[in-house]
C-alpha cells in the first residue's frame, strides 16, 4: 500500500538518492529520496517510508509540506503583482526583468 506522494515517486521512477518530486496544488509537497537511510525530523521535514519491495530493505523519503502554497500564488495575482495565474511561469523563468524583489509568502 502506498500513499499518493510515495506512489508518485515510485511511478515516476525516482529511485536514486537525491531524486526529488515537487507537487504544486492547494498545498506544496516536496519529497526527496533518501535511500535506505531516514532523514531526521527537523524544520518541518519528516521522514516517511517511500516503499518496500519484497526481499529488499525499505526506501525512505524526506517530505516537506507547505499547506498554503496555492493560496500564496493566488495572492500574487489578486495583489496585482502579475495579471494572470498563467504569468507566474514566465515570471519565474525571467525574474531578472522584475525589480520588485523576492516574494516571500507569510500566509
Amino acid at each position: 500500500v502506498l500513499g499518493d506522494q510515495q506512489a508518485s515517486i515510485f511511478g515516476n521512477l525516482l529511485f536514486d538518492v537525491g531524486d526529488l518530486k515537487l507537487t504544486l496544488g492547494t498545498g506544496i509537497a516536496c519529497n526527496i529520496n533518501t535511500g535506505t537511510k531516514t532523514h531526521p525530523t527537523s524544520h518541518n521535514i519528516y521522514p516517511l517510508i517511500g516503499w518496500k519491495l519484497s526481499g529488499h530493505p525499505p526506501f525512505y523519503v524526506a517530505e516537506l509540506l507547505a499547506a498554503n502554497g496555492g493560496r500564496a500564488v493566488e495572492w500574487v495575482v489578486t495583489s496585482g503583482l502579475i495579471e494572470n495565474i498563467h504569468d507566474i511561469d514566465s515570471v519565474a523563468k525571467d525574474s531578472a526583468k522584475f525589480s520588485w524583489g523576492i516574494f516571500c509568502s507569510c500566509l
Side-chain angles (χ1 to χ4, degrees), residues 68-103:
N68 292 320
R71 180 69 184 116
V73 171
E74 182 182 341
W75 179 86
V76 170
V77 176
T78 60
S79 68
L81 292 173
I82 61 174
E83 291 182 27
N84 184 305
I85 192 69
H86 301 289
D87 294 338
I88 201 141
D89 188 48
S90 62
V91 169
K93 288 180 181 175
D94 209 10
S95 60
K97 288 185 179 179
F98 294 90
S99 62
W100 40 267
I102 297 170
F103 175 70

